[in-house]
Amino acid sequence: MSIRIRHDDCVGCGKCIEACPGNLIKYDDEGLAEMRRPRDCWGCTSCLKACPVGAVEFFLGADMGGTGATLSFSRAGTVSHWSVSCPDGRAVGIDVDGANANKY
Ligand code: SF4
Ligand code: SF4
């Protein structure tokens, strides 16, 4: 498992660095986020949820969308939007409204 940080979108806020429980992300020489040890990532997605500009993508395994598929995250108010993009062009989105969490 690993993530990809899109340098063109990163604003260097450091929130992903603070969020990673494995200390796997660091600043590069330009002050932008960089993955330190990709092989150690276990896919907790904390960095995706912490990034305010959606610059972090997570690579999904073959059993979760196919090799090369990526998961991205964005938030609008209380709604979290998860998006899966597949190499063949397919895309799936899931919205979760935190305001309705734990309402069963
Ligand atoms: S997915 Fe989790 S373990 Fe992997 S880099 Fe992001 S915060 Fe760290
Ligand atoms: S949280 Fe996003 S914008 Fe901030 S340093 Fe990490 S990748 Fe860059």
Side-chain angles (χ1 to χ4, degrees):
M1 294 182 183
S2 186
I3 59 162
R4 170 171 56 198
I5 299 169
R6 292 192 301 268
H7 271 196
D8 287 349
D9 295 326
C10 176
V11 295
C13 70
K15 292 187 176 178
C16 59
I17 296 172
E18 294 170 16
C20 180
N23 192 25
L24 302 178
I25 309 172
K26 66 180 183 70
Y27 284 115
D28 65 11
D29 293 341
E30 300 172 59
L32 302 176
E34 176 180 79
M35 192 58 170
R36 192 195 302 267
R37 297 188 302 274
R39 288 186 179 179
D40 289 346
C41 173
W42 63 92
C44 71
T45 72
S46 294
C47 53
L48 275 76
K49 291 182 278 189
C51 181
V53 295
V56 185
E57 291 176 305
F58 175 68
F59 287 106
L60 296 170
D63 57 336
M64 297 171 63
T67 303
T70 57
L71 176 69
S72 58
F73 176 85
S74 62
R75 193 189 315 270
T78 60
V79 178
S80 300
H81 180 70
W82 295 90
S83 177
V84 175
S85 299
C86 301
D88 63 5
R90 286 178 298 139
V92 179
I94 302 168
D95 288 329
V96 180
D97 189 348
N100 294 324
N102 300 321
K103 289 183 180 177
Y104 297 104

